[in-house]
């Protein structure tokens, strides 16, 4: 191979890598730009925050007035953040526990009408959530759980379970049965086998279920608006509607951007914490 040919190949390889990394940088810019925009806009002073965030950066110095203003809406940002965290984390814990047990049962045990039950569970994914809000409202009222965070948590868990059970069953199906049989020979039985042997192997699926459950519960708006009536129990998405509506027609754009940052940070933290498991779990749940 001549030197000219080697140089041409090296040049093409360099240009290909340059184009690939250039495209990645451009895509990253468009992905990160809204976060930087919201973050900078939330740091503008009180007088600037009354105007649309153009330009987004503070021109009179960095200020946390927007966060103080956000705390004046509803029952205060801390109360609504606590409500959202309580609902979201409880939804994650209950969804993971129930889907882990259900996925293990559908994957490893034989019982009458197993496939029929599984298909019925998956079929509920085709039912629009908005169409069952009225029955859910009536059921919670009969149970005395209307206008309570416990009732809202149960609704969120119910909505998450079909997808979560599907993911966990496929995650358990991907684990070789020989591992389970070897553990049983060593004396491990059902719960001990599930927790100590199989759980570490299906952790990517658990992480995927946890991420989806947290994001959906954290960002859900319609059910929280309909099923809750006390201001002290509203979650952050419901609070943000009041912030976006403004007071007497005047919108505080700084408070809006501060609310965006408050709602975004936990989502980023959860995703970054579990992202190394996320793709493996998503692929494991997509195929059997």
């Amino acid at each position: 191979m001549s030197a000219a040919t080697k140089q041409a190949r090296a040049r093409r390889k360099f240009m290909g890598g340059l184009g690939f990394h250039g495209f990645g940088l451009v895509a990253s810019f468009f992905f990160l730009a809204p976060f930087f925009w919201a973050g900078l806009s939330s740091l503008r002073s009180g007088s600037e925050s009354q105007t649309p965030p153009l330009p987004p950066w503070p021109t009179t110095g960095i200020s946390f007035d927007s966060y103080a203003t956000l705390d004046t809406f509803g029952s205060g940002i801390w109360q609504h953040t606590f409500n959202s965290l309580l609902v979201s984390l409880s939804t994650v814990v209950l969804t993971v526990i129930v889907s882990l047990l259900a996925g293990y049962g559908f994957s490893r045990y034989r019982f009458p009408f197993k496939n029929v039950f599984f298909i019925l569970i998956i079929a509920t994914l085709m039912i629009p959530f908005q169409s069952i809000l009225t029955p859910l409202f009536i059921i919670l009222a009969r149970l005395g759980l209307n206008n309570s965070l416990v009732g809202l948590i149960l609704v969120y868990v119910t909505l998450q379970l079909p997808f979560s059970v599907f993911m966990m069953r496929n995650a358990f199906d991907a684990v070789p049965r020989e591992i389970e049989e070897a553990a049983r020979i060593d004396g491990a039985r059902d719960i001990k086998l599930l927790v100590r042997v199989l759980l570490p192997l299906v952790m990517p699926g658990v992480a995927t279920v946890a991420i989806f459950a947290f994001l959906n519960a954290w960002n859900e708006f319609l059910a929280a608006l309909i099923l809750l009536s006390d201001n002290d129990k509203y979650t952050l998405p419901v609070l943000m509607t009041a912030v976006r509506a403004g007071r007497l027609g005047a919108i505080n754009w700084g408070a809006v951007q501060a609310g965006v940052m408050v709602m975004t940070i936990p989502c980023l933290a959860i995703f970054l914490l579990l992202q190394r498991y996320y793709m493996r779990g998503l692929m494991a749940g997509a195929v059997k």
Side-chain angles (χ1 to χ4, degrees), residues 45-286:
S45 63
S47 58
E48 288 183 297
S49 62
Q50 300 293 332
T51 59
L54 292 171
W57 52 83
T59 57
T60 59
I62 294 177
S63 172
F64 293 94
D65 292 345
S66 297
Y67 292 92
T69 303
L70 179 64
D71 194 42
T72 63
F73 285 87
S75 298
I77 187 62
W78 294 109
Q79 177 64 45
H80 296 290
T81 301
F82 172 77
N83 294 341
S84 289
L85 284 174
L86 177 63
V87 170
S88 301
L89 294 178
S90 300
T91 300
V92 169
V93 172
L94 290 177
T95 300
V96 167
I97 292 175
V98 176
S99 63
L100 188 69
L101 296 175
Y104 179 65
F106 277 114
S107 176
R108 291 298 193 257
Y109 289 96
R110 294 182 180 180
F111 52 88
F113 306 108
K114 181 179 77 169
N115 292 331
V116 174
F117 289 141
F118 185 74
I119 291 174
L120 288 176
I121 292 174
I122 299 302
T124 59
L125 290 171
M126 296 183 292
I127 301 176
F129 163 61
Q130 295 81 0
S131 66
I132 62 174
L133 274 178
T134 301
L136 288 174
F137 184 89
I138 296 174
I139 292 173
L140 291 179
R142 295 287 179 86
L143 295 175
L145 294 175
N146 203 16
N147 188 32
S148 71
L149 295 180
V150 175
L152 187 63
I153 291 168
L154 293 178
V155 170
Y156 287 169
V157 172
T158 302
L159 297 175
Q160 290 298 318
L161 280 180
F163 169 78
S164 302
V165 171
F166 170 77
M167 290 288 298
M168 292 313 304
R169 191 204 68 159
N170 288 354
F172 280 111
D173 284 346
V175 177
R177 290 182 179 270
E178 290 78 6
I179 297 177
E180 183 177 352
E181 293 171 357
R184 288 186 181 277
I185 292 174
D186 291 337
R189 290 296 179 264
D190 298 327
I191 298 299
K192 182 179 179 181
L193 172 66
L194 175 62
V195 174
R196 295 191 177 183
V197 178
L198 296 179
L199 181 58
L201 299 176
V202 298
M203 190 56 69
V206 172
T208 303
V209 168
I211 290 175
F212 271 83
F214 182 87
L215 294 181
N216 289 331
W218 181 263
N219 294 302
E220 206 283 327
F221 164 75
L222 187 59
L225 178 66
I226 293 176
L227 300 178
L228 300 175
S229 57
D230 287 348
N231 186 57
D232 292 343
K233 297 178 181 178
Y234 283 149
T235 55
L236 279 175
V238 181
L239 172 69
M240 287 304 299
T241 60
V243 178
R244 287 196 298 266
R247 289 171 174 162
L248 302 177
I251 301 176
N252 189 306
W253 293 101
V256 171
Q257 300 303 325
V260 170
M261 294 306 299
V262 171
M263 292 197 63
T264 301
I265 290 174
C267 297
L268 289 177
I270 291 294
F271 182 79
L272 293 176
L273 183 65
L274 300 177
Q275 58 92 19
R276 64 171 180 159
Y277 298 107
Y278 174 69
M279 287 307 300
R280 283 186 289 169
L282 194 61
M283 296 302 296

